[in-house]
Amino acid sequence: MTYTSDKPPLPESTDQLRARIPGWGADLDPKDRPSVPKLRWQEDRTGAHWEFPNRQPEKWPRERSIEHEFLAPVFGTSCPPRGASGRIRRLAYRKYSEGRAAHWLLLLAADRVDAWESHLSSFLTARPDNPVTETGVLSEFSRHGVSSRLGQKRADVKHQVLDPVIVAGPWVLAVAVVVTLVRKLLRRS
């Protein structure tokens, strides 16, 4: 019965459940648990064949925090630092501690520089970046973008005025710089 101190009857007994479901209740009795031998410390059976893990070879000088004596034994190699963003990242790690805001602000700036390096390098390929389709601006008109914001108690409504400036602003600025440079070149010739 609900809300009484009596234990409700189980639909099946524990023996019936153990017979029907393989492995049911394995954690009830420690001698039945498959992980119990692993949980006991055995001085001669740690499984490690080293005192310190083998170090991953460095193919290029890696960023390392100034708080640490050496690089971690294993580290990521998928995105080697390159270009101006790589130099900014190296500066952040070489000069500033991880506890300083300057370290993290430089890493944020390096991410932004890396994004622009990628945008600029895309113009050298057969399929350059398309900011109109890649930012999802067109879905604002086809997927009820405005009506999903009006009358809703959304937290992001306050900064929506800045979204076009943040997303489109750099592209508009880049186009303005290119147009200005082309005009100057045309006037000289």
Side-chain angles (χ1 to χ4, degrees), residues 64-70 93 96-100 103:
R64 179 182 57 84
S65 174
I66 59 176
E67 285 98 7
H68 302 288
E69 186 178 344
F70 49 82
Y93 279 102
Y96 297 105
S97 161
E98 288 182 15
R100 303 269 315 268
H103 175 82

Side-chain angles (χ1 to χ4, degrees), residues 6-7 23 38 70 72 89 92 98 110 125 128 135 147 169 176 186 189:
D6 297 332
K7 181 180 178 184
K38 294 179 190 173
F70 49 82
R89 283 189 179 92
E98 288 182 15
T125 64
T135 56
S147 63
L186 290 175
S189 60

Side-chain angles (χ1 to χ4, degrees), residues 22-23 26 44 80 85 113 116-117 121 140 149 160 162:
D44 59 335
S85 62
V113 169
W116 274 101
E117 286 174 340
S121 66
E140 290 291 321
R149 290 181 182 87
Q160 286 176 3
L162 294 176

Side-chain angles (χ1 to χ4, degrees), residues 82 116-129:
R82 59 187 164 82
W116 274 101
E117 286 174 340
S118 298
H119 289 316
L120 293 175
S121 66
S122 77
F123 289 116
L124 302 175
T125 64
R127 299 187 72 166
D129 290 348

Side-chain angles (χ1 to χ4, degrees), residues 77-98:
T77 59
S78 64
C79 301
R82 59 187 164 82
S85 62
R87 286 192 284 284
I88 295 171
R89 283 189 179 92
R90 285 188 200 101
L91 171 70
Y93 279 102
R94 184 178 62 245
K95 190 166 181 175
Y96 297 105
S97 161
E98 288 182 15

